[in-house]
Amino acid sequence: MINHLKSADIQLIQRIIPHRYPFLLVDKVVEIDNLVSAKGIKNVSFNEPYFQGHFPNVPIMPGVVIIEALAQTAAVMVGVSLNLADKNLLIYFMGIDNCKFRWKVVPGDVLELSVSVLRGKVGSKVWKFGGLASVSGEIAAEVEFTAMMELPT
């Protein structure tokens, strides 16, 4: 059964995906269009642990962390749409394709995370998504990624 919720706050996000500090990388999903697309937000703070080493004098959000934030947004979209809160959903990366980084993401930025389903449906374990991360209208990263989502048995 498809859920028709249109957003997810941090409490619902934590009921869907297993990630926690310091690896919970989406603060809110502001728009969910069922199993079609979603938009999430990550408020980038200087307090993020990766800024200590990437880079100490010029803090830049690592590209792989941006991709992870997109993947978490996609997992929340699927979890909300399929009513998977409190079901212990597990998510595994399977592939990352056509990835490009175009803009630096730095402390103080609001990272806008847009994802869309390229392949996957109710009952699927393997999903493919398109992702676009931007800051103030500037594209920071674009990627296609494949993930397996399953519930523990």
Side-chain angles (χ1 to χ4, degrees):
M1 180 173 154
I2 300 288
N3 188 337
H4 295 289
L5 278 177
K6 298 296 180 195
S7 64
D9 62 14
I10 194 65
Q11 287 80 23
L12 181 55
I13 290 168
Q14 290 182 91
R15 291 176 55 207
I16 293 171
I17 62 176
H19 307 79
R20 297 295 181 267
Y21 178 85
F23 215 64
L24 180 55
L25 300 170
V26 60
D27 295 319
K28 185 173 186 178
V29 180
V30 295
E31 185 179 311
I32 299 171
D33 184 7
N34 294 320
L35 294 174
V36 176
S37 64
K39 293 185 182 194
I41 299 291
K42 167 65 177 157
N43 295 301
V44 181
S45 166
F46 183 72
N47 294 324
E48 310 287 348
Y50 44 79
F51 285 136
Q52 293 177 22
H54 197 270
F55 300 101
N57 296 320
V58 184
I60 299 170
M61 188 176 193
V64 295
V65 175
I66 296 170
I67 295 170
E68 177 65 28
L70 286 162
Q72 289 181 20
T73 303
V76 171
M77 172 186 59
V78 172
V80 166
S81 298
L82 297 180
N83 293 308
L84 298 177
D86 304 316
K87 305 276 187 189
N88 299 316
L89 179 66
L90 298 172
I91 307 106
Y92 308 102
F93 263 127
M94 296 178 69
I96 297 170
D97 299 302
N98 303 318
C99 184
K100 294 194 174 28
F101 300 104
R102 304 190 179 283
W103 191 261
K104 292 185 287 189
V105 178
V106 299
D109 284 346
V110 175
L111 187 62
E112 299 160 9
L113 306 158
S114 299
V115 295
S116 59
V117 174
L118 300 177
R119 188 177 65 240
K121 61 183 186 217
V122 176
S124 296
K125 280 190 175 185
V126 177
W127 294 72
K128 186 166 187 171
F129 302 94
L132 186 70
S134 60
V135 175
S136 300
E138 294 289 339
I139 296 172
E142 55 189 311
V143 65
E144 292 178 359
F145 56 92
T146 306
M148 180 171 56
M149 291 186 243
E150 65 181 3
L151 299 173
T153 55

